[in-house]
Amino acid sequence: MTPTHFAFSSTFLLGLTGLAFHRTHLLSALLCLEGMMLSLFIALSMWTLQLNSTNFSAAPMLLLAFSACEAGAGLALLVATARTHGTDRLQNLNLLQC
C-alpha cells in the first residue's frame, strides 16, 4: 500500500469512526460525513489520474457536486433543528415527538 492510499483510507476511516463514536452534536456528524466525502473525492481523482483515462474524468466532479448538495441539505437540517429544538444535540432529538 502506497503512502497516498494509506492517507486516503485512513482519512476515510477516521471520518467513519468519528461518525460512529462521537455523535453528540449534529454539526460534528455533518463534519465527519463531509470529511468522508472529501477523502472519497480525492481518492477518485487520484484513481482517474493513475488510469490515464478520460472516461472517468467526470466522476470526481459529479461526486463533488453531490457532496455540495449533501452539505447544503445538512446545513438546512441543522438550522431547522436549532430553530425548533433550540440545540443541535442528537440525544435531544426524538423522531416520535413532532
Side-chain angles (χ1 to χ4, degrees), residues 17-26 28-29 88-91:
T17 55
L19 186 64
F21 295 125
H22 303 291
R23 296 184 313 177
T24 56
H25 294 281
L26 183 59
S28 64
D88 69 333
R89 291 184 56 87
L90 292 176
Q91 292 176 351

Side-chain angles (χ1 to χ4, degrees), residues 19-76:
L19 186 64
F21 295 125
H22 303 291
R23 296 184 313 177
T24 56
H25 294 281
L26 183 59
L27 184 62
S28 64
L30 290 175
L31 284 174
C32 289
L33 282 174
E34 193 65 30
M36 289 169 57
M37 289 297 287
L38 286 176
S39 68
L40 284 177
F41 167 72
I42 293 172
L44 191 59
S45 298
M46 293 299 291
W47 181 61
T48 304
L49 288 175
Q50 285 178 355
L51 285 180
N52 291 330
S53 176
T54 58
N55 294 336
F56 300 112
S57 62
M61 288 298 149
L62 187 65
L63 183 70
L64 193 62
F66 283 137
S67 176
C69 293
E70 176 255 334
L75 286 177

